Amino acid sequence: MKTLIAATGLVALSLPAQANAQDTGFSGPRVQLDIAYDQLDASDDYVDLPRHFNTATIGISAGYDHMVTKGLLVGAELGFGKPLGDKQIAHLGSDSLTAKPGRELYAAARIGTPVTRSTLLFASAGYSNAGLNVVYHSGPDRYQINGTKGGFLWGGGVEQKLGGSTYVSLAYRGAHYGDYRYALGAHRAQVRLGAGMRF
């Protein structure tokens, strides 16, 4: 997957400038700010532990896109996300456990096609690394068992040019992370609203 992302990025960066005649205004480097509804779910064998986290997430990303042909865009992006929600607490007799989603780092390749001169449909796939911050309290003792886990991400959406070099986007993104230290089959679903600028 990392090889695929790197190869896509190299293709996007190395395509010749003669494609300007095919450019519909979606090419070039870009930066984007996002706010998302973020749902992180974890299956485990302990019914008393936190399993579902619904929160808002803010993020920033940077990427590069290029129109290969008049109807095909390829690109790559890197991003960072930070959940804003509160921690969840589970009481286990006299002990307790708190859990909170941590930061997300991701890298993705994307392809797209303009459906009008100002509207782009796109799909993306790549790698996501997410954190889950867990603290176990037992009497006066405190055990930090934070962890991070990598997984596959996928998604798609629509991008709309506003004017000049600015745009807005609406996208869905999912990710599957496999096993955390105390959770099995963790997966994430996000609905993301973004605003960005091309250079």
Side-chain angles (χ1 to χ4, degrees), residues 125-179:
Y127 173 82
S128 170
N129 184 277
L132 186 62
N133 304 322
V134 179
V135 180
Y136 189 87
H137 300 268
S138 179
D141 299 320
R142 182 178 184 272
Y143 303 95
Q144 193 89 17
I145 51 175
N146 294 354
T148 61
K149 190 70 175 180
F152 176 70
L153 72 83
W154 65 93
V158 60
E159 184 177 303
Q160 179 68 43
K161 290 194 293 186
L162 296 179
S165 58
T166 61
Y167 66 89
V168 293
S169 70
L170 179 65
Y172 169 84
R173 201 175 76 202
H176 184 76
Y177 299 107
D179 300 350

Side-chain angles (χ1 to χ4, degrees), residues 34-39 53-59 81-86 100-102 188 190-191:
D34 292 292
I35 185 166
Y37 170 75
D38 189 359
Q39 183 179 62
F53 303 89
N54 299 308
T55 182
T57 293
I58 57 172
K82 180 176 176 57
L84 301 178
D86 293 331
K100 181 178 180 180
R188 162 174 267 140
Q190 294 180 337
V191 178

Side-chain angles (χ1 to χ4, degrees), residues 34-53:
D34 292 292
I35 185 166
Y37 170 75
D38 189 359
Q39 183 179 62
L40 180 65
D41 292 324
S43 301
D44 58 60
D45 296 327
Y46 307 99
V47 297
D48 293 327
L49 298 185
R51 295 175 177 221
H52 308 292
F53 303 89

Side-chain angles (χ1 to χ4, degrees), residues 4-5 7-15 26-30 63-77 108-114 120-124 198:
L4 172 63
I5 296 168
T8 306
L10 288 174
V11 169
L13 291 170
S14 62
L15 291 171
F26 294 106
S27 291
R30 60 184 176 84
Y64 187 91
D65 296 320
H66 195 97
M67 295 299 302
V68 181
T69 68
K70 188 175 181 179
L72 177 63
L73 173 144
V74 297
E77 65 179 345
R110 74 175 195 162
I111 60 172
T113 184
L120 175 76
L121 296 181
F122 64 88
S124 60
R198 281 194 168 81

